Amino acid sequence: MRGKLVVGNWKMYGGLAANAELLAGLVAGCKPRADRRVAVCVPFPYLAQARDVLSGSAIAWGAQDVSAHPPGPYTGDVAGSMIAEFGGRFVIVGHSERRQAHGESDVLVAAKAKAALATGLTPIVCVGETLAERDAGSWQAVVSRQFDAVSAALGRETALIVLAYEPVWAIGTGRTATPAQAQEVHAFLRRQLARTGAESVQVLYGGSVKAANAASLFAQADVDGGLVGGASLLATEFLAIADA
Ligand code: 13P
């Protein structure tokens, strides 16, 4: 039984005071449940704050990127061991905003996933097609290319990742994939996972998830939860999604 996982991606939002209020609201409202996990992935400077507030709560925390390298001369980068030292459990890799704005390649994303696992973090590997790619009928080719790079690098360790399907056209646009569209891609990804013996990997959906649409998305057979952007910045909204 795969269970559900709901992860908030704060992106580059937050501040000490706003975070304190948001985290306190999450701690107060998030009840532990055996069948689901909840986490937030925060900007690096707030990892210590997340640890201080969330330790002992039902909510795990993590980061939004990780270096492909162990500690060394890589100015501006953050090693997985540093995230782990602050109690981080998860790290997002290959988010489309990093693939696009930082030119991250499939190979680099795979190396980051490997580095995350090597430091005890669970990489949440994002895949997803652009609107042009969907309109061209090539979403299968895109998500399998992105996934294959990761499974080739990880081999049997692919079973240890979390996968997130984030159609680029649904991120921050208010335009959500329909439950049927999400299920179609998730079922496809599940078949890819099965080929590497990793069919029990959780596959999250991300892209304009809100309290109003979460239940219908999460009810799909192969949707194991969500990776939530904007709606994760409001405690009541995020908690409602986690409860969906
Ligand atoms: P939104 O939920 O704001 O559309 O963002 C989705 C996302 O990119 C999560 O990683």
Side-chain angles (χ1 to χ4, degrees):
M1 188 46 205
R2 292 191 301 272
K4 298 284 193 212
L5 172 64
V6 176
V7 180
N9 172 9
W10 287 9
K11 307 197 178 186
M12 199 173 72
Y13 293 103
L16 289 171
N19 302 346
E21 194 181 327
L22 173 54
L23 291 168
L26 295 181
V27 170
C30 188
K31 302 282 168 278
R33 273 170 47 174
D35 59 345
R36 67 120 205 244
R37 293 182 297 166
V38 179
V40 290
C41 288
V42 305
F44 293 126
Y46 303 132
L47 277 170
Q49 187 184 23
R51 174 198 59 191
D52 291 349
V53 180
L54 298 178
S55 291
S57 80
I59 304 165
W61 61 96
Q64 302 164 17
D65 182 35
V66 65
S67 173
H69 302 283
Y74 302 101
T75 303
D77 286 350
V78 175
S81 58
M82 298 170 179
I83 299 166
E85 193 173 20
F86 282 89
R89 182 113 28 107
F90 295 98
V91 66
I92 298 168
V93 299
H95 193 282
S96 59
E97 287 155 10
R98 294 206 62 85
R99 291 180 190 263
Q100 289 180 341
H102 297 267
E104 293 195 3
S105 66
D106 295 333
V107 168
L108 179 61
V109 171
K112 289 183 171 194
K114 202 169 169 66
L117 285 172
T119 53
L121 300 171
T122 298
I124 301 172
V125 177
C126 300
V127 300
E129 81 286 0
T130 64
L131 186 57
E133 288 163 340
R134 174 156 283 261
D135 287 346
S138 58
W139 65 260
Q140 286 102 331
V142 173
V143 301
S144 42
R145 189 200 74 224
Q146 293 169 335
F147 171 75
D148 286 350
V150 172
S151 71
L154 299 187
R156 294 159 66 96
E157 286 200 311
T158 305
L160 303 177
I161 71 170
V162 169
L163 198 56
Y165 170 56
E166 296 213 322
V168 179
W169 47 272
I171 294 175
T173 59
R175 191 180 152 186
T176 323
T178 64
Q181 281 175 323
Q183 170 58 25
E184 183 184 25
V185 181
H186 283 233
F188 175 80
L189 290 169
R190 181 88 52 213
R191 291 194 293 276
Q192 311 296 304
L193 286 161
R195 289 202 323 229
T196 49
E199 62 270 32
S200 59
V201 158
Q202 288 173 306
V203 186
L204 312 184
Y205 168 79
S208 298
V209 176
K210 306 177 199 58
N213 60 28
S216 58
L217 287 161
F218 299 171
Q220 302 302 308
D222 290 296
V223 178
D224 302 316
L227 184 54
V228 184
S232 72
L233 299 171
L234 300 164
T236 48
E237 183 79 6
F238 185 60
L239 288 167
I241 293 168
D243 284 338

